[in-house]
Amino acid sequence: MTDRLKGMAGIRISGWGVALPEKVVTNEDLSKTLDTSNEWILERSGIAERRIGGTTSGLAVEAGKLALESAGLEPHDIDLLILATTTPDDQVPATSSKVQHELALTCGAMDVNAACSGFVYSLVAGSGFLHAGCNRILVIGSETLSRFTDWQDRSTAILFGDGAGAVVLESSSDGGELLGWDLSSSGELRDLLYCSIGGKIHMAGSEVFRKAVIAMANSGKASIANAGIAPEEISLVIPHQANIRIIETSLKRLGIPLEKAVWVGDKYANTSAASIPIALAHALDNGQVKENDVILLVGFGAGMTSASAVIKWGEIND
Ligand code: UT7
């Protein structure tokens, strides 16, 4: 990343919200129809259960509404909606336009598909739009991966879940900043993880695992270097919630203790573009984010894409 593209001053996440389908599917439930077990899934992935159901737009609307409420904003206050999703309701139009209508937003709307890296891509893009003159942007990650899961395939069916997370991103002078970021894509790795139109998800699990560890560590390192800080200065990591072992190994490479990472994948599994905002909202609701904290968001996914951002949290007024 050149200096010209480095972090832009003055951002704040002023509101957030999460939407999850009510239906809980446990590992035990899956082991009734698949040749697997709770022990195997827990040990290999850290996942205990997942939520299944809803629509991508419906979950996005629910999460978006909560984010607006918690920011104390009205729909007309939002200047742009960015919806990160890899599981749109329709091929055309973009799911974001449906969400814009249902939330009564009076602004532009677009989908971003960068698979599981989509939320961080959208957050970085949102920061750019703030720099270009927008004041408040609603960034949502929403997925219904269960629609594209082959429920007879034990190597993928155990991993995915449905859900949405949303944040309001505002320009601000309260000390919050995007200190550094990194986005990448390796299109030659397409066949490791893909879903053709009308098809189901195919994944070469252990190969994706290996690439994911490297991608998370490299992207995290690049963002930390761009931010001009040391890994020890990271207070909290919000990683993509794919597999606790991927998080463990990549953080080791980054020199950041696992205790600094937020993990909610045990309850919600891999919700692709929704996993980072869901984990972030969890950390915020649990008081894990403190004034002046420096937070690393880092994800990877099909593409294969990776994305990370180092955000300095500003004042907290409550
Ligand atoms: O958002 C990005 C998307 N994807 C990911 O991040 C996924 C990355 N990959 C992973 O998380 C892991 O590769 C998995 C959790 C999917 C699998 O764990 P693994 O330790 O890499 O297992 P493996 O694929 O190397 O398979 C080991 C064995 C195989 O049996 P054999 O050939 O050793 O006899 C598999 O057939 O485990 C078998 N296996 C299972 N056994 C019980 C595969 N899936 C299951 C299962 N239950 N669900």
Side-chain angles (χ1 to χ4, degrees):
M1 187 171 66
T2 64
D3 280 347
R4 185 175 58 83
L5 293 172
K6 258 187 103 168
M8 284 156 278
I11 65 158
R12 169 183 166 82
I13 289 176
S14 58
W16 54 90
V18 164
L20 293 155
E22 270 175 33
K23 186 176 175 186
V24 177
V25 176
T26 64
N27 292 346
E28 290 294 352
D29 293 332
L30 291 180
S31 65
K32 288 177 192 148
T33 52
L34 287 170
D35 181 15
T36 190
S37 65
N38 177 44
E39 293 69 32
W40 193 95
I41 303 169
L42 257 185
E43 191 192 315
R44 299 291 178 115
S45 69
I47 296 166
E49 57 189 46
R50 69 285 294 141
R51 302 294 185 92
I52 300 294
T55 62
T56 295
S57 62
L59 292 167
V61 167
E62 200 182 322
K65 216 174 253 174
L66 291 170
L68 286 178
E69 272 169 29
S70 80
L73 296 174
E74 297 297 327
H76 61 78
D77 293 323
I78 297 296
D79 297 326
L80 180 68
L81 166 65
I82 307 179
L83 175 68
T85 187
T86 195
T87 52
D89 284 7
D90 296 305
Q91 187 67 47
V92 174
T95 306
S96 53
S97 65
K98 210 167 175 180
V99 175
Q100 168 267 312
H101 173 65
E102 289 180 22
L103 284 175
L105 303 181
T106 52
C107 59
M110 63 179 175
D111 285 13
V112 166
N113 181 351
C116 307
S117 310
F119 181 79
V120 180
Y121 263 77
S122 301
L123 207 64
V124 173
S127 302
F129 277 103
L130 292 180
H131 196 60
C134 290
N135 288 318
R136 296 182 192 96
I137 299 174
L138 183 60
V139 184
I140 308 179
S142 184
E143 302 279 12
T144 45
L145 288 159
S146 61
R147 292 159 50 217
F148 302 97
T149 301
D150 175 355
W151 291 104
Q152 310 304 316
D153 175 8
R154 68 177 182 173
S155 67
T156 52
I158 58 155
L159 290 175
F160 300 114
D162 301 333
V167 301
V168 173
L169 191 65
E170 296 198 28
S171 53
S172 157
S173 53
D174 73 355
E177 257 184 274
L178 174 63
L179 296 177
W181 53 270
D182 173 73
L183 306 178
S184 83
S185 171
S186 301
E188 71 280 8
L189 300 177
R190 183 257 179 204
D191 289 351
L192 293 186
L193 178 51
Y194 66 92
C195 177
S196 302
I197 289 179
K200 300 288 183 197
I201 297 168
H202 291 265
M203 183 180 70
S206 50
E207 192 54 21
V208 170
F209 188 106
R210 277 190 287 276
K211 299 280 188 215
V213 166
I214 296 166
M216 294 262 284
N218 286 350
S219 187
K221 272 182 198 160
S223 275
I224 289 169
N226 290 331
I229 60 164
E232 303 79 62
E233 292 178 69
I234 298 288
S235 332
L236 195 67
V237 183
I238 314 284
H240 172 44
Q241 310 280 301
N243 183 323
I244 190 66
R245 292 189 301 130
I246 294 177
I247 296 173
E248 208 173 334
T249 319
S250 54
L251 287 195
K252 214 172 264 174
R253 285 178 179 232
L254 276 168
I256 299 175
L258 183 62
E259 298 71 54
K260 288 191 177 176
V262 176
W263 168 247
V264 294
D266 52 342
K267 291 189 286 290
Y268 311 127
N270 179 349
T271 54
S272 191
S275 93
I276 288 181
I278 290 173
L280 175 63
H282 177 89
L284 286 160
D285 289 337
N286 283 295
Q288 283 173 272
V289 178
K290 309 268 186 306
E291 213 157 271
N292 299 323
D293 267 1
V294 179
I295 303 176
L296 171 67
L297 291 87
V298 57
F300 68 92
M304 288 196 62
T305 57
S306 61
S308 58
V310 174
I311 294 177
K312 177 166 174 270
W313 212 264
E315 283 170 25
I316 295 181
N317 328 294
D318 40 18

